Amino acid sequence: GYGLIRISPVLNPHPQNLMFPILILALWGILMTSSICLRQTDLKALIAYSSVSHMGLVTAAIIVQTPWGLTGAMTLMIAHGLTSSALFALANTNYERTHTRTLLLVRGLQLAFPLMSTWWLLINLTNMAMPPTINLLGELFIISTLFNWSTPTIIITGIGTLITATYSLYMFLMTQRGSISSQFRLLPPTHTREHLNLILHLLPLGLLIMKPALISGLFT
């Protein structure tokens, strides 16, 4: 994403035959990778495809080449960097204890790790761009930019946002709710360092909204 921001001005003004295919692929990629998330059985693969979906928004915003688009792209890159990192950290805490990433096998972990379940809920809501996190600001900038560029894009971005909410809730419910398997009833407890790690991911996401110019002021 940062490379696109640096290279795009060199191509400005964009010839139409260069801009349209990249934008169409980026918007189509949002729908395709979000849909792939809905059928994933591997937890790490689900999180990875989620990142690809969000980067489709970033690519589309950068290619439009407006101040709002560049601001939204930079904001969402930083926000999703923290969110995706936190999700991978959570997936690793599960894997260290259950030794599997298959969603069907790790159900009901809320009973074993109630505090970790709270982190799962908060970070999945952040992945859905829940206010007051910085993710919401980035997505609003990008969706507004694309809508201003072409009105029909609101349909694609709207569907993408809906699917993102769906697979984020699916990930939370599949890992935390339900009855826990009998082989996982005696799991080692979570550590303070793991909770501190997740706090240090969530705090910036919540506090940066108070002064978003720290990460988005370059283009405004």
Side-chain angles (χ1 to χ4, degrees), residues 43 103 106-109 120 171-177:
L43 181 58
L103 289 170
V106 294
R107 302 190 68 174
L109 292 182
W120 271 105
M171 178 165 43
F172 174 75
L173 293 173
M174 287 297 290
T175 55
Q176 304 304 308
R177 306 296 293 176

Side-chain angles (χ1 to χ4, degrees), residues 8-204:
S8 293
V10 178
L11 306 175
N12 193 38
H14 293 294
Q16 296 299 319
N17 59 352
L18 174 64
M19 182 171 67
F20 285 156
I22 297 176
L23 269 168
I24 291 169
L25 286 173
L27 292 170
W28 185 245
I30 295 169
L31 295 182
M32 288 298 97
T33 50
S34 296
S35 301
I36 289 172
C37 289
L38 292 174
R39 61 184 296 273
Q40 282 300 318
T41 58
D42 187 290
L43 181 58
K44 283 185 71 176
L46 197 163
I47 298 169
Y49 276 113
S50 169
S51 295
V52 177
S53 172
H54 282 86
M55 289 307 102
L57 275 174
V58 170
T59 303
I62 293 171
I63 294 299
V64 173
Q65 280 290 292
T66 62
W68 271 42
L70 294 172
T71 298
M74 182 64 79
T75 304
L76 188 59
M77 277 193 291
I78 294 171
H80 189 68
L82 290 165
T83 306
S84 183
S85 175
L87 284 170
F88 276 116
L90 281 170
N92 186 62
T93 60
N94 280 10
Y95 182 75
E96 285 180 343
R97 289 160 177 81
T98 62
H99 303 290
T100 179
R101 298 196 304 261
T102 305
L103 289 170
L104 286 173
L105 298 179
V106 294
R107 302 190 68 174
L109 292 182
Q110 179 182 5
L111 298 173
F113 309 117
L115 182 54
M116 197 60 73
S117 183
T118 304
W119 299 130
W120 271 105
L121 177 62
L122 290 175
I123 294 170
N124 273 288
L125 290 174
T126 303
N127 196 46
M128 295 160 51
M130 173 196 72
T133 58
I134 202 72
N135 303 57
L136 177 65
L137 183 66
E139 290 197 12
L140 284 177
F141 269 116
I142 292 174
I143 291 172
S144 300
T145 298
L146 294 174
F147 180 73
N148 187 57
W149 174 75
S150 176
T151 305
T153 58
I154 195 69
I155 299 173
I156 298 176
T157 53
I159 294 173
T161 302
L162 181 62
I163 298 176
T164 300
T166 304
Y167 70 68
S168 295
L169 290 174
Y170 164 74
M171 178 165 43
F172 174 75
L173 293 173
M174 287 297 290
T175 55
Q176 304 304 308
R177 306 296 293 176
S179 56
I180 190 170
S181 174
S182 57
Q183 62 181 328
F184 297 144
R185 292 193 183 277
L186 294 175
L187 295 172
T190 54
H191 303 294
T192 303
R193 59 177 172 81
E194 293 170 330
H195 296 293
L196 178 61
N197 180 22
L198 295 167
I199 290 171
L200 293 176
H201 280 90
L202 280 171
L203 271 181

